[in-house]
Amino acid sequence: MLHQNSYMVLFPNTKCNNHLRNSILMKNILLGILLILSMISKAGIVDYKTSPWHITVNKRTEYTGIALSNGRIGIMPSQLPFKVESIILNNVYDKESEQGVSKLLRGINFANLEMVIDGDTISENTISDWQQRLDMKEASLTTSFRFKEKAEIEYTIYALRGMPFAGLIDVTVKALIKNINISVAGEISCPEEYKNPNSTFRILKDNEIEMPLLQTVAKSPFGRHTLAATATFIFDHDFPVLKHSRK
C-alpha cells in the first residue's frame, strides 16, 4: 500500500497530468513570445554613442566631410545646413590644364537645398543643436538641428547603391508651434570651369502624376565630356505650387 500510495503521489492521474503539462507548455510559449518581443524592441533601439557602426559629431569647427559613395558618384557633405560641398565622379577625367595631366572631374552639384520658414532662410546662424551622424552600415549621413523655436529638422543623404548615378536627400520637418509656413528650393550649381552650361525646367505628366525636373547640361573644361544633372522633388502628398527661377 505504501508503494502504491507513493506511486499515486509521484504519478497523478492522466487528466491532471495533461492539464499540468499544458499549463507549463503555455507558460513556456508565453515566456518565449515575451522574450522575442523584448529582443525585437531592443533591436530597434540604437545607442549611437556606443554603436561601432555610427560616428556622431556636434561641433562644426575644423569640419572635414566624409564622402558618401556608391562606386559611380561621391557626395561630399558640408557643415552648412542643406548644403553639399561637391559631387565627385568616378572614372570621368579631363585635363587639368592645356599641357597638364588628367584629373577626376567634379560633377554638377544637384544636391543643394534652401529652406525658408516664416520668411526666414535657414542658415548656420539661425540654427542650434546641430549634429551629424554617419551610419556606416546603411551608408548614410544624417544632419539634425533646431531652427529657432519653430521646428526640428532632420535630413539624410544617400548615394544610392541600386541607382549608382543617383543620390537622395530625405528631409523631415517637425513643427514646434501650431502653424509654420515652409518653402523649399532645389539648386543645381555648375563648377565655374565648365563651359556652356544650359539650365532647363520642365514638368513631365503621366495622367495625374507630375514629375518636375530641373536640369543642367555643360561641357567639361576641355570639351572631352558632356555632363548633365537632374533634380526633382518627391512628396508624400500632393505637389505644392512650383516655380522656376535662375540666380
Side-chain angles (χ1 to χ4, degrees):
M1 291 296 295
L2 289 175
H3 179 74
Q4 289 179 347
N5 285 338
S6 299
Y7 183 87
M8 291 297 295
V9 171
L10 292 174
F11 298 95
N13 65 70
T14 303
K15 184 176 180 180
C16 293
N17 190 41
N18 287 339
H19 177 73
L20 179 62
R21 289 179 180 176
N22 289 338
S23 298
I24 294 173
L25 181 61
M26 183 61 67
K27 289 180 181 179
N28 287 338
I29 292 173
L30 290 174
L31 181 60
I33 292 173
L34 289 174
L35 286 173
I36 292 172
L37 291 175
S38 176
M39 291 172 64
I40 293 174
S41 177
K42 290 181 179 179
I45 301 174
V46 179
D47 186 353
Y48 295 117
K49 294 181 179 179
T50 60
S51 170
W53 288 105
H54 299 86
I55 299 175
T56 303
V57 296
N58 50 26
K59 294 182 179 179
R60 288 175 281 172
T61 55
E62 300 181 357
Y63 179 90
T64 300
I66 299 176
L68 300 166
S69 306
N70 59 16
R72 291 296 183 181
I73 64 170
I75 303 175
M76 181 64 72
S78 169
Q79 76 273 27
L80 303 177
F82 293 119
K83 300 302 178 186
V84 164
E85 186 70 27
S86 61
I87 304 295
I88 304 166
L89 303 178
N90 186 25
N91 203 31
V92 181
Y93 298 89
D94 204 345
K95 291 190 295 184
E96 181 270 332
S97 62
E98 188 65 43
Q99 303 299 325
V101 298
S102 297
K103 70 170 185 177
L104 279 174
L105 287 175
R106 290 189 298 161
I108 299 172
N109 195 337
F110 58 84
N112 286 322
L113 298 173
E114 180 180 271
M115 181 177 289
V116 179
I117 296 180
D118 291 340
D120 294 329
T121 301
I122 293 178
S123 68
E124 60 179 331
N125 299 320
T126 59
I127 63 173
S128 60
D129 299 333
W130 179 92
Q131 180 178 274
Q132 275 190 350
R133 182 175 66 251
L134 177 66
D135 188 331
M136 294 178 286
K137 187 175 183 179
E138 299 297 332
S140 65
L141 181 77
T142 299
T143 303
S144 61
F145 52 82
R146 178 186 290 258
F147 175 71
K148 299 183 176 180
E149 295 301 320
K150 295 185 176 182
E152 291 179 349
I153 299 167
E154 179 178 288
Y155 63 92
T156 302
I157 301 174
Y158 303 88
L160 300 179
R161 287 171 283 184
M163 302 174 65
F165 293 97
L168 173 70
I169 303 176
D170 187 5
V171 182
T172 301
V173 180
K174 178 183 177 181
L176 300 178
I177 59 177
K178 186 174 182 181
N179 293 310
I180 58 175
N181 295 314
I182 300 176
S183 64
V184 182
E187 300 176 356
I188 292 182
S189 58
C190 194
E192 294 181 357
E193 63 269 23
Y194 282 18
K195 296 180 178 180
N196 306 320
N198 181 31
S199 297
T200 59
F201 174 77
R202 55 182 175 148
I203 298 178
L204 300 182
K205 294 183 179 182
D206 183 7
N207 295 327
E208 297 180 356
I209 300 174
E210 294 185 353
M211 177 67 70
L213 299 178
L214 183 64
Q215 186 176 68
T216 295
V217 181
K219 286 282 189 180
S220 61
F222 291 90
R224 184 174 183 179
H225 299 284
T226 300
L227 300 104
T230 303
T232 188
F233 285 114
I234 301 175
F235 295 94
D236 57 3
H237 51 77
D238 294 336
F239 270 94
V241 178
L242 298 174
K243 297 180 181 179
H244 178 227
S245 63
R246 295 184 183 181
K247 293 184 178 180

